[in-house]
Amino acid sequence: MSTTGLRDRALLERARRVLPGITQTYSKAPDQHVQGVYPVYLERGDGCRVWDMDGREYIDYPCALGPVLLGYRDPDVDAAVREQVDRGASFSLGHPLEVEVAELLVGLIPCAEMVRFVKTGSEATSAAVRLGRASTRRDHVAMCGYHGWHEWCVGHTARNAGVPQAVRELTHQWSYNDVDSLRRVFDEHPEQVGVVIMEPVGVEEPQAGFLAAVRDLAHERGAVLIFDEVITGFRMAPGGAQELYGVVPDLAAVGKGMANGYPLSAVVGRSDLMELVTAATYVSGTFAGDAVALAAARATLEKLRREPVCEHLWRQGAAVRDGFNRLAAAHGVPARMVGLPPRRVMELTPQGGVEPNVLKGLIWQGCIDRGVLLGNANFISFAHDDEVVARTLVVFDEALGETGRAYQAGRVAEALRGIPPGEVSRRP
Ligand SMILES: Cc1ncc(COP(=O)(O)O)c(C=O)c1O
């Protein structure tokens, strides 16, 4: 039975004094997990496993919120990184790897004719929005999900203090799988919407014809279509969800999995739009050409081309998702894993006044006690082999059995030893 270890707790106390929110990403914060049961810190990783500060080992499914595509410490990526560290990280002029990695991306991603590197997913989506606005000379943005922390994106969320009112008024929400809701945004702001940005697939799958209808509507109304493939890129298919669904946007933002955990992202797309980077506007970063991250990206992308990485993610992700769903049903736990196999979340539908997050917390507690770390978004890596998936299903069986007994006895809250995970408060 796991409770937070001594070293972990001591560090958390120090963190409370110097780090607002404790972690640097909302999704990694203690209140997103079972507080008092989950560790707050992970010290190292290897393959599909991670270790906390007190030496406990877990099979890891959040995969660092998506970046770990091949597994922690992938030997090919690490060798490339070591070699580059010996040559230097940042230089006074451009570095050859910028060209090489850009060529790899152009070869992989259907919409990519040119590439501009940045560092984070938020920067990549923001750069794409900047280019879309620059090309259409229109300020308004139609969006339908989370695309990062920058002003255009968080302006209309509950946490928009610090975002000028004038900026908040330029972004409009529409609903996934609802083309009419996008049409309404265009109708309500005629000739003003220059950019439509969306994740091509999130947890919900696109209905037949939906993505093509969005593309056609955006173009008909004179807007640029951006796919945010920060999560879906390199996971749903080597060329991202645009390859999977055969709908090609004007621009795309990629990040997360591109360098297997090293910080690198990019905006990619049509040359005429990409050329605006220097012709009309400004997207520039001191660290954007960081050769260590670029070396990691080259090794990651080459492996993606060489090995059946995405097939593996689909097969093992399906085994985890379907196995969980079968066992939850067998133990009478109203929980399901939903989403495409490479990226899954847990959906809870308890009855009788049981809070969904409390039930979720009890399932997660049962899993972490037995060495499986789950989070709000669960991925899978090339390092999750058959043996690991089989072990995961044994853990699910035991954790769901325990949860089912507590649920049927009406004592879910009593069985939870910590504070249940809160809602993911960063989503718009
Ligand atoms: C779909 C999507 N776009 C953009 C981002 C922002 O990426 P980053 O956190 O690297 O800035 C995220 C982060 O989770 C994301 O899920």
Side-chain angles (χ1 to χ4, degrees), residues 120-122 125 146-149 199 228 230-231 256 426-427:
T120 67
S122 302
T125 57
Y146 175 79
H147 306 291
W149 70 274
E199 271 199 284
D228 175 348
V230 168
I231 285 185
K256 300 240 190 207
R426 70 198 173 96
R427 296 280 160 188

Side-chain angles (χ1 to χ4, degrees), residues 12 17 56 125 163 275 359 374:
L12 177 60
R17 289 193 284 275
R56 294 176 186 142
T125 57
V163 178
E275 296 278 14
L359 184 65
L374 297 176

